[in-house]
Amino acid sequence: MRRTLAALTGATLAALIAPLPALPAPAEAASGPAALTPAAGRSASAADPVSALTRRFKAQRGVRLAENTKIIGEGKKYRTIFTRRSGVLEFGGKGLVASDLTTRFTVPSKGEDGLAGVFAPSRTISVKGTAYTSGGIYADSMPEGKKWLRTPGDTGSLVSAVQQIISTVEPGTLRATLARTAARRPGGTWDGTRTTVHSGTITLGELFGVSPAVRAMLGTKPTGRSATLPVSWKIYLGSDLLVRRVVSSYTESTRGLNSTELTYVNDTRYTGWGTKVTIKAPPADQVADFDELTVGADEARGAQDPVRGFFEN
């Protein structure tokens, strides 16, 4: 369990070091709840939203993304980190093939001393199984003339680069999550369309089984208490059954290791479904690998999880 939770924290926080403007308020406030029983919620067809999603899987088409994440530390050393991420996702015939995202942080001024590089803005382009990052923690360690750091990965890393643990651009994840709907109600207007918000919970173990992004994040299958870690969620579906907003939260406890408890709240907005997108890798002569960094490869890789110390210092 401890290794799984540590992996969850490390991967999630490392992904944060790579963006957004403040998110807009909804055009229409949510109406009063009309709670459904779990059985009634599950009776709503989850296949229709999945079909609506897969119909958008076309070459050089995509969706714009705006995402806020809040990480809350527990106790006297409580500090909250806010990250804002924005950009675009590109689809192919079978799903997500590329992303171009910019990340910015808002942190307490007390935490910025000596950590300016950790919380510096960054842009990450993920395409053809490789991520390229400009700015952020490695900016001062790049060799002369190089602007982008290359990190090989896999297709799952395209989605895990997004902070939202409920990756609704994955058909299997969308289907499995909506199948656990416990209630639904009017959700207001988002991206110019009236929405219905579905809500419920799903466990980390269930997400691992259906989500390439979560598998890429954790690496190993969660077991024991880690597998049953509950993730609360809300999914806002437009009248066209496309996802317009996803809100999720979960609390990770590492008591017995460093007695830290972190709560993650992710709020993702999708706009402009069908936007024309063509994402390309940066010019090869501007790209460097880890072993070219001036701080050294081992030191650079070890710096990928520096945010944990922010809560412990």
Side-chain angles (χ1 to χ4, degrees), residues 37-195:
T37 64
R42 284 192 294 269
S43 68
S45 173
D48 289 340
V50 172
S51 296
L53 171 64
T54 56
R55 284 196 297 269
R56 298 291 174 158
F57 290 168
K58 298 179 180 179
Q60 297 185 334
R61 297 290 175 176
V63 65
R64 291 186 292 273
L65 175 145
E67 190 169 67
N68 283 355
T69 293
K70 178 167 63 175
I71 308 175
I72 305 169
E74 179 196 48
K76 295 181 180 179
K77 297 179 180 180
Y78 166 95
R79 304 178 192 177
T80 300
I81 295 178
F82 296 91
T83 66
R84 303 182 185 275
R85 178 166 295 178
S86 62
V88 65
L89 308 180
E90 181 181 351
F91 299 123
K94 296 183 178 180
L96 189 66
V97 297
S99 63
D100 185 347
L101 302 168
T102 299
T103 303
R104 295 180 178 84
F105 289 92
T106 301
V107 297
S109 58
K110 180 180 178 180
E112 293 180 352
D113 297 338
L115 290 174
V118 173
F119 298 113
S122 65
R123 178 184 175 192
T124 298
I125 295 174
S126 296
V127 61
K128 295 183 179 179
T130 300
Y132 304 86
T133 299
S134 177
I137 190 172
Y138 306 114
D140 293 337
S141 303
M142 296 292 289
E144 186 175 356
K146 306 289 186 178
K147 296 174 57 179
W148 297 88
L149 177 65
R150 174 167 38 210
T151 306
D154 53 32
T155 55
S157 68
L158 292 174
V159 186
S160 61
V162 181
Q163 298 161 188
Q164 178 60 255
I165 195 171
I166 306 289
S167 180
T168 55
V169 296
E170 297 173 336
T173 301
L174 180 60
R175 179 184 296 107
T177 304
L178 288 176
R180 287 151 181 78
T181 296
R184 60 178 179 175
R185 60 179 176 81
T189 299
W190 298 92
D191 190 30
T193 182
R194 294 179 63 85
T195 65

Side-chain angles (χ1 to χ4, degrees), residues 275-305:
T275 297
K276 188 172 182 179
V277 184
T278 303
I279 298 174
K280 297 181 179 180
D285 60 358
Q286 297 181 16
V287 174
D289 294 309
F290 271 102
D291 57 6
E292 298 179 67
L293 297 182
T294 58
V295 297
D298 292 339
E299 183 180 346
R301 291 181 186 276
Q304 291 186 67
D305 187 15

Side-chain angles (χ1 to χ4, degrees), residues 202-248:
I202 188 169
T203 68
L204 183 62
E206 290 169 332
L207 283 172
F208 186 91
V210 298
S211 174
V214 172
R215 290 194 291 271
M217 181 187 297
L218 295 182
T220 58
K221 183 178 180 179
T223 58
R225 290 174 58 190
S226 297
T228 60
L229 178 74
V231 179
S232 300
W233 57 267
K234 295 179 181 179
I235 295 176
Y236 293 69
L237 295 176
S239 57
D240 55 5
L241 298 180
L242 291 170
V243 176
R244 291 318 200 281
R245 184 185 182 193
V246 184
V247 180
S248 68

